[in-house]
Amino acid sequence: MAEPKTKYDRQLRIWGEQGQAALEKSSICLLNCGPTGSETLKNLVLGGVGSITVVDGSKVELGDLGNNFMVDESSVGQSKAKTVCAFLEELNDAVKAKFIEEYPEKLIESNPSFFSQFTLVVATQLVESSMVKLDRICRDANVKLIFARSYGLTGFVRISVKEHAVIESKPDHFLDDLRLNNPWPELRRFAETIDLDTPDPVVHKHTPYVIILIKMAEEWTKTHDGNLPSTREEKKVFKDLIKAKMIASDEDNYKEAIEASFKVFSPQGISPAVQQIINDSCADVNSNSSDFWVLVAALKEFIANEGGGEAPLEGAIPDMTSSTELYVNLQKIYQAKAETDFLVMETYVCRYRLIEDEYNSPVQLELQKYLTDEDYCVAVGFYILLRAVDRFAANYNSFPGQFDGEMDEEISRLKTTAVTLLNDLGCNGSTLTEDLINEMCRYGAAELHAVAAFIGGIASQEVIKVFFFFFFCLIFSQWIW
Amino acid sequence: MAVSEPSRSRDLDKLLLRPGHIIGPNFEPGPELREAIKESVKVLVVGAGGLGCELLKDLALTGFPNLDVIDMDRIEVTNLNRQFLFRLEDVGKPKAEVAAKRVMERVNGVNITPHFCRIEDKPLDFYSDFNIIVLGLDSIEARSYINGVACGFLVGTRLSYDSDDNPRDETVKPMVDGGTEGFKGHARIILPGTTPCFECTIWLFPPQVKFPLCTLAETPRTAAHCIEYAHLIKWDEVHSGKSFDPDNPEDMQWVYSEAVKRAELFGIPGVTYSLTQGVVKNIIPAIASTNAIISAACALETLKIVSDCSKTLSNYLTYNGVEGLHTKVTEFVRDKDCLVCGPGVLIELEKSVTLKKFIDQLEDHPKLLLTRVSVSHRGKNLYMQAPPVLEEMTRSNLDLPLFDLMGGISKDIVHVNGMAGKGDKKQSCLRKLRVVFRGIDGVTDIDMAGGA
C-alpha cells in the first residue's frame, strides 16, 4: 500500500491532515448509483472517505453502458449496486465499501431508521415526494444530506443540513488582518523604534510597508483630531503623503504601502457578519450547546473584554519587501499577539430550510421577480420545470418525453402541469416559454454522462466542504446548458 | 406510447435524435448525426493527467469512439488521489498508455490511440488529422504551443478566409481548454479566427511568482525564500556542474536540509519537507472533484461544437468553489494584432534578400525575437533546423534569395517555426508572417494588410 501521505499529497496541501482525518471518519450512503451517484462517489472514494454504502435496487441494463463508466458488458442483468460498488472498491483500498440491493424509495418508506447510521447521505435522481420524506428523516436524525439530480442538459445540487458552522476559515483574506487601523501597544512601540527618514537608502528601501503605514497613520491622527483618513479627498492626500516619502523610484516597499493603504481606512472592530452571529440567541450557551456555539460564546466574551472590540488576531503576515531582521521581528510581534489572543477563528453559520418549506411556502416575491428577470428567467424556468416533471410523473407514470412518440401531447401536458404548479406557488399569470417546455420534453429524463459527471463533481465537492469547518458551502444551485 | 428498443445510446439519443429549441445554428437531429460523430469525428485529448483521465471517460461516454491521447509523463503515486484510471501497480508506466487501455476495457467500441511523447515531437500533420482538440494541461507553455499549431492550420493558407474575411469552416481547428487549481477552474472554447485564441488573452494567466535573486541572497523573509536560496543558489555553489534533479529524493532532501539551515540562521519559521517539494516543483494543489467538473464541462462543449445540439459556451467559464460556489461566463474578444491568430506580422523585404538574411532579421525583430528558425512556404520546407537529414537537404537554400524560393510571388504568407522569447524563458512556437517584396506591382493591395 502506498504511503497515504504521498497518495493524498495534492489534497493535503489544501485541507491539511486535520481535514483529511475528518474525511476518513465519515461514513457515506449513496442512494441510486446511476452516473450522477457513481461519479459523486468516485470523487469521494479517491479522496479517501471512511466508508461508503451504495443503495440501488435496479439491474444493469444495456442503456446504462452508454452513460455509466462503472458498469460494463459483463454486468448486464446483474445488481447495479453490486457492480458499481466493486468498481469503487478498486479505486482505493483504504475505503470500506458495501452495497444494498434495494430501492431507496422503499427504504425511505419502510425503514427510516436505516439512515441514522451515516454521517452523510447523497441522494441522487429522487423525485420530489421521496426528497421531502428523506429530508425530514435526515434532519430529525441530524444526518447531513445532499441531493443531486441530472436531467437532460440541466440539473441541481442541494444541501440540507441543520446547521453548517464554519470556524477557522482559511480564506486568503485572513492576511488582511494586520490591524493597521488599530495597532496594539507592542506593535505601536515597535514602529516607534524605526525612523522612516533614515539617511541610509538601503534601510529606507527595506522598511516594511506595515511600519510605514502605522507611522504615517499615527502622524495623520495627530493633525486630524485622532481620526484616520475617511473621505475620498483625505485618502488621496494620505496616499500622496506616502508617495512624497519615497527617495527613489524603485522603492517597492513604498509602492506596497500605497497599494495597502486601504487597510488603514477600513473601519475598526468586527464585521457585521460576525456581529450577527454573536448576537444569535444560540450564543447564550447551555449544557446542550454544540461545540461551535460554545466557541462563539467564548468569542463574544473576548470581543467584549480583552479584545476591546476586536476579534482575536490570526497572526500570519503576508510576504512584503523588507530586510530579514525587520520582517522576522514583525512576524514575532504578530505571532505573540495571536498566541495571547489564543482564539483564532472566523465564524460563519448557515442554516438550511427544509425542502418541504421551500416547496410549500416559496418566497413568492423573489420567484416572481426572477421569472421576469432576463438574466434569471431561464434558470428559474428550469427550477420550476424540474419540479413540474416530478408532478407529471406522479400523474402519468413516466417523465415527459421519456419514451418516443406522442411528443406534442407530452408537451401540452407538461405545460398544463407547469401552469398549475406556478399557480400553486402563488405566481398566477406567470408563464414559461415554449422553448423551455419543449427542451424539457426533449430531455425525457435522460441522464447524460457529462452532465452527471458535472453535477456529481459539484455534489462531491460540497460533501467535502460540509465535513470541514473551514469551507463555505453553496446554498442552492442548479445549472443549465 | 412506443417503448424504445434497448440501446447503449438510450440517453444520448434523446439529445441527438430529437429536434430542440435551444440549439446551435446547424443542428440536424437524427441517427445520421449520431453515426457521423461515431464514424468521422476524431478527437485529440492533450494530457492524460487529472483532466485527461476524466476527459477520456467523458468523451467515450458522450458518443466519441475515435480518440487519441498524448502525454509525456509517467504515473506517480501522488496522481492516485484524482487520476482514477491509474492504480498503485501502474506507477512508473506511461500515463497515455494506461489511460487509453483502461477506458477501452470498460467502454465497448471505443478506440483510443495513446502517444507517449512530447507534444513538440509530433509533426504538424499529426495535429491536422483531428476535428477537434481538447486540452487537459497544467502548463501555459504547452497550451501556447498547441494554440499556435491549431491557429496555424487556420492561417496556413490565404484561402482560409472567405470574401467576407470570415474563416472557412474546414480550416478551423476548434479547441476546448480546461484548467484547475484546487477548488478553482476554467473551461473555454477557442475557435481560431472567431473567438480569442489562447495568446489573445494570455494576460489571464499571471506570470509565475519568481523571487528576485537579491531577495534570496540578501533579505530572505519567508520559508519559500530559504528553499529557493538552497535550490537556485546554494546547489550550484556546492555541486559544480551537476544539475539538480527534482525527482531524486536525495537531491530534494539536500535542498530541504540546506533550507532549514538558512531558515535557522535568519530565524525564519516554516520550512518543511512538503513545502520544499511544493516550492521547488511548483506543485499545484489538485482534487478529484474540480477536475471532474471542468472536464465534464469541456466534454459537453466538445459535443455541442461538433453537433450543435445546444448553444455553445461563449466563450470562457470560470468556476470557483472556495467560498460557496460561483460560476461565471465571460465573452472575451479577440486581439486584432495577435501574433498567433491575427493576420500575421508584416515583413517588407528587398527582392535580393537571401533566406539566411531573412532568418537573421527575425532574431532582431522586436515583435518576434525568434531564434533557431525553420521556414516553410505553402507547405514546402525552405529551411529546417532539424532533423539533421532535412537540415542538410535544405541548407543550400540559405544563400538563395527568398523571392526566388517563393516562386517569384510579390507577397505571400510564410510560416516560421522557432524559439521565441528572451533569456531562459524561451519556448518553441509557430508564427505567421506576411512577406511583401518591395518594388513589385500590387504590393499596395490592402487585402494582405487587412488580414483577419
Side-chain angles (χ1 to χ4, degrees):
Chain A
M1 200 177 119
E3 171 77 31
K5 252 184 139 167
T6 314
K7 184 163 78 177
Y8 298 136
D9 180 84
R10 296 302 185 268
Q11 63 198 46
L12 288 171
R13 288 172 193 277
I14 299 179
W15 52 65
E17 284 174 38
Q18 207 188 336
Q20 189 63 31
L23 209 56
E24 285 169 18
K25 265 194 289 186
S26 65
S27 105
I28 294 173
C29 175
L30 171 70
L31 303 185
N32 287 328
C33 61
T36 309
S38 299
E39 291 295 320
T40 307
L41 225 46
K42 178 202 80 196
N43 302 330
L44 293 170
V45 167
L46 288 167
V49 293
S51 71
I52 55 161
T53 302
V54 180
V55 179
D56 194 316
S58 65
K59 306 275 190 233
V60 178
E61 293 172 21
L62 194 61
D64 299 328
L65 303 186
N67 72 2
N68 193 341
F69 194 73
M70 281 157 236
V71 298
D72 66 3
E73 224 73 14
S74 67
S75 55
V76 175
Q78 295 189 28
S79 155
K80 202 188 281 178
K82 183 183 172 188
T83 308
V84 168
C85 189
F87 180 86
L88 290 170
E89 259 184 311
E90 243 184 72
L91 294 180
N92 191 344
D93 55 12
V95 178
K96 288 192 273 304
K98 66 175 183 182
F99 67 93
I100 292 170
E101 222 184 312
E102 179 69 273
Y103 288 98
E105 293 80 1
K106 222 177 140 195
L107 271 182
I108 292 167
E109 288 297 336
S110 62
N111 190 6
S113 62
F114 168 82
F115 298 99
S116 56
Q117 61 183 300
F118 303 105
T119 42
L120 185 142
V121 175
V122 179
T124 68
Q125 307 300 90
L126 286 187
V127 294
E128 183 170 323
S129 54
S130 302
M131 280 172 65
V132 168
K133 282 177 201 151
L134 180 64
D135 191 35
R136 175 61 71 189
I137 294 167
C138 289
R139 190 62 68 96
D140 289 345
N142 203 11
V143 172
K144 298 174 169 73
L145 175 61
I146 291 184
F147 294 106
R149 183 139 178 214
S150 311
Y151 197 104
L153 290 177
T154 181
F156 65 79
V157 174
R158 194 189 191 292
I159 300 177
S160 181
V161 293
K162 203 178 221 163
E163 191 170 274
H164 177 58
V166 181
I167 317 175
E168 209 186 308
S169 188
K170 286 185 171 175
D172 308 336
H173 69 246
F174 244 164
L175 292 176
D176 287 348
D177 191 10
L178 294 173
R179 299 289 158 86
L180 301 183
N181 52 358
N182 191 11
W184 62 96
E186 289 82 4
L187 182 57
R188 212 183 285 262
R189 272 199 293 278
F190 179 64
E192 278 163 16
T193 63
I194 293 156
D195 179 13
L196 287 189
D197 300 317
T198 168
D200 183 340
V202 178
V203 175
H204 195 269
K205 198 178 158 177
H206 287 93
T207 306
Y209 79 77
V210 167
I211 301 294
I212 297 171
L213 287 175
I214 290 171
K215 292 192 76 100
M216 301 282 299
E218 174 94 23
E219 208 168 296
W220 178 279
T221 53
K222 276 183 196 154
T223 52
H224 292 81
D225 300 327
N227 296 318
L228 288 167
S230 61
T231 66
R232 231 169 122 178
E233 184 55 30
E234 284 178 338
K235 289 174 184 175
K236 197 185 164 292
V237 173
F238 185 76
K239 284 186 194 175
D240 289 342
L241 284 173
I242 301 173
K243 210 170 182 179
K245 286 266 182 199
M246 289 173 81
I247 56 170
S249 61
D250 66 340
E251 293 192 307
D252 289 335
N253 53 335
Y254 278 86
K255 289 179 197 156
E256 288 167 7
I258 293 167
E259 250 171 59
S261 56
F262 72 92
K263 294 176 186 178
V264 172
F265 313 144
S266 65
Q268 298 179 353
I270 56 174
S271 68
V274 174
Q275 189 68 52
Q276 198 183 340
I277 292 167
I278 63 173
N279 287 344
D280 194 295
S281 60
C282 290
D284 301 323
V285 289
N286 56 42
S287 57
N288 292 327
S289 295
S290 69
D291 292 353
F292 173 76
W293 287 108
V294 171
L295 277 169
V296 171
L299 173 67
K300 192 176 180 176
E301 282 270 316
F302 180 92
I303 294 168
N305 301 309
E306 55 267 57
E310 295 278 3
L313 186 78
E314 203 271 346
I317 62 172
D319 186 26
M320 61 192 81
T321 302
S322 165
S323 66
T324 303
E325 194 195 347
L326 282 180
Y327 185 82
V328 170
N329 284 337
L330 206 53
Q331 209 172 26
K332 280 183 187 152
I333 289 166
Y334 275 86
Q335 203 51 51
K337 165 81 169 147
E339 277 162 26
T340 322
D341 288 3
F342 185 60
L343 279 160
V344 177
M345 58 176 165
E346 165 137 328
T347 51
Y348 172 87
V349 186
C350 185
R351 296 194 182 102
Y352 294 85
R353 291 177 83 189
L354 273 172
I355 302 266
E356 197 174 358
D357 296 341
E358 177 191 317
Y359 284 176
N360 294 341
S361 45
V363 188
Q364 272 172 31
L365 277 174
E366 275 195 12
L367 210 53
Q368 198 110 41
K369 191 179 85 195
Y370 286 136
L371 274 167
T372 50
D373 185 321
E374 205 183 317
D375 293 338
Y376 292 96
C377 64
V378 173
V380 177
F382 274 117
Y383 167 80
I384 300 289
L385 285 170
L386 279 164
R387 295 183 54 190
V389 294
D390 285 351
R391 279 201 183 188
F392 186 107
N395 286 337
Y396 304 106
N397 291 317
S398 69
F399 291 101
Q402 189 173 1
F403 303 105
D404 288 333
E406 291 153 54
M407 194 58 101
D408 290 344
E409 196 183 333
E410 301 274 280
I411 290 168
S412 96
R413 279 175 171 173
L414 179 61
K415 195 174 174 179
T416 315
T417 312
V419 168
T420 318
L421 175 63
L422 279 170
N423 282 338
D424 293 353
L425 293 172
C427 301
N428 302 47
S430 297
T431 50
L432 300 173
T433 65
E434 295 288 326
D435 281 351
L436 294 190
I437 293 166
N438 270 282
E439 278 293 295
M440 208 63 181
C441 288
R442 172 193 181 201
Y443 299 160
E447 202 175 349
L448 301 164
H449 179 79
V451 175
F454 187 93
I455 295 287
I458 287 168
S460 62
Q461 191 160 100
E462 294 307 317
V463 170
I464 286 172
K465 291 195 285 188
V466 296
F467 278 143
F468 297 167
F469 276 139
F470 44 76
F471 290 107
F472 297 80
C473 298
L474 87 161
I475 311 231
F476 174 84
S477 258
Q478 60 167 13
W479 285 268
I480 43 145
W481 287 274
Chain B
M1 207 175 287
V3 176
S4 320
E5 285 289 302
S7 157
R8 245 170 248 281
S9 52
R10 176 188 66 196
D11 296 69
L12 204 55
D13 278 356
K14 299 219 167 78
L15 205 61
L16 296 180
L17 270 54
R18 294 174 169 185
H21 277 236
I22 305 177
I23 49 170
N26 299 311
F27 181 49
E28 285 176 30
E32 300 79 16
L33 174 62
R34 182 187 64 201
E35 296 310 307
I37 295 173
K38 203 163 149 184
E39 274 152 32
S40 52
V41 175
K42 282 192 73 177
V43 183
L44 173 67
V45 175
V46 185
L51 289 163
C53 283
E54 288 283 337
L55 283 168
L56 287 172
K57 166 192 64 108
D58 293 345
L59 291 168
L61 291 173
T62 303
F64 294 98
N66 305 308
L67 303 167
D68 280 46
V69 59
I70 181 167
D71 196 311
M72 60 183 267
D73 286 338
R74 292 174 184 275
I75 298 161
E76 294 177 29
V77 176
T78 54
N79 301 148
L80 301 179
N81 80 322
R82 60 198 187 282
Q83 299 175 18
F84 73 100
L85 295 173
F86 308 143
R87 309 282 174 267
L88 192 54
E89 59 269 24
D90 300 323
V91 169
K93 293 181 196 160
K95 287 184 176 182
E97 289 171 13
V98 177
K101 179 169 154 275
R102 285 279 142 74
V103 174
M104 284 195 287
E105 275 166 11
R106 295 202 69 85
V107 187
N108 219 23
V110 167
N111 188 22
I112 306 177
T113 311
H115 305 272
F116 172 46
C117 62
R118 293 157 49 85
I119 48 178
E120 295 90 345
D121 293 344
K122 289 286 181 189
L124 294 182
D125 298 357
F126 169 78
Y127 294 101
S128 71
D129 214 23
F130 299 96
N131 302 86
I132 187 161
I133 301 176
V134 188
L135 311 181
L137 292 163
D138 59 2
S139 102
I140 297 172
E141 290 76 17
R143 282 194 182 91
S144 229
Y145 181 81
I146 298 284
N147 181 66
V149 171
C151 292
F153 293 126
L154 169 72
V155 297
T157 150
R158 292 177 61 194
L159 296 175
S160 58
Y161 289 90
D162 65 18
S163 52
D164 294 328
D165 247 8
N166 292 317
R168 289 176 194 272
D169 274 356
E170 61 269 28
T171 60
V172 175
K173 190 75 65 188
M175 282 172 283
V176 181
D177 172 48
T180 71
E181 177 170 356
F183 285 111
K184 298 178 192 170
H186 79 262
R188 73 188 299 185
I189 63 175
I190 296 175
L191 306 172
T194 305
T195 70
C197 80
F198 182 72
E199 217 64 39
C200 292
T201 54
I202 192 84
W203 49 270
L204 283 166
F205 293 82
Q208 261 184 35
V209 182
K210 279 265 177 267
F211 306 117
L213 282 179
C214 60
T215 296
L216 303 184
E218 287 156 28
T219 56
R221 300 175 296 271
T222 66
H225 293 155
C226 299
I227 293 163
E228 283 295 56
Y229 172 80
H231 167 220
L232 298 172
I233 298 173
K234 189 80 181 174
W235 177 274
D236 286 340
E237 279 175 23
V238 177
H239 306 82
S240 60
K242 186 189 157 205
S243 61
F244 172 79
D245 175 9
D247 294 322
N248 182 343
E250 275 176 38
D251 287 12
M252 192 62 80
Q253 188 63 43
W254 187 90
V255 167
Y256 165 62
S257 54
E258 284 300 318
V260 169
K261 278 187 220 162
R262 186 156 178 88
E264 276 169 8
L265 183 67
F266 285 94
I268 295 167
V271 175
T272 62
Y273 187 73
S274 170
L275 183 69
T276 306
Q277 285 180 307
V279 170
V280 170
K281 295 169 107 172
N282 187 28
I283 292 175
I284 298 162
I287 54 176
S289 52
T290 316
N291 284 328
I293 294 161
I294 294 299
S295 302
C298 289
L300 266 175
E301 290 309 316
T302 308
L303 178 68
K304 292 196 286 186
I305 290 171
V306 166
S307 71
D308 261 349
C309 69
S310 182
K311 286 183 178 156
T312 51
L313 168 73
S314 182
N315 43 39
Y316 197 103
L317 168 98
T318 48
Y319 173 89
N320 187 343
V322 179
E323 291 192 8
L325 199 166
H326 303 276
T327 57
K328 187 173 181 244
V329 176
T330 312
E331 192 168 350
F332 287 115
V333 291
R334 288 182 67 201
D335 173 1
K336 289 280 171 223
D337 298 321
C338 177
L339 284 181
V340 179
C341 73
V345 178
L346 180 69
I347 308 270
E348 285 187 80
L349 297 171
E350 298 297 333
K351 271 166 67 181
S352 57
V353 170
T354 61
L355 180 56
K356 170 128 189 16
K357 188 113 188 276
F358 169 68
I359 289 173
D360 291 345
Q361 276 188 21
L362 302 179
E363 190 166 346
D364 302 325
H365 193 287
K367 272 187 172 176
L368 297 168
L369 299 167
L370 281 177
T371 51
R372 290 192 53 76
V373 172
S374 300
V375 183
S376 67
H377 173 242
R378 299 200 170 184
K380 190 178 150 213
N381 294 323
L382 302 184
Y383 180 70
M384 295 291 282
Q385 293 277 353
V389 190
L390 272 180
E391 198 281 329
E392 212 182 306
M393 278 171 62
T394 54
R395 195 183 305 155
S396 58
N397 285 344
L398 286 174
D399 296 325
L400 300 175
L402 182 61
F403 180 70
D404 295 347
L405 288 167
M406 287 169 63
I409 313 170
S410 62
K411 59 191 185 207
D412 208 354
I413 299 292
V414 166
H415 282 93
V416 295
N417 209 325
M419 305 298 287
K422 284 182 193 165
D424 58 353
K425 281 301 282 176
K426 284 191 178 173
Q427 65 176 92
S428 59
C429 67
L430 187 71
R431 294 279 183 260
K432 182 174 72 162
L433 310 178
R434 286 179 290 146
V435 174
V436 177
F437 294 99
R438 291 193 191 103
I440 307 278
D441 287 346
V443 167
T444 47
D445 271 9
I446 48 159
D447 69 323
M448 285 276 304

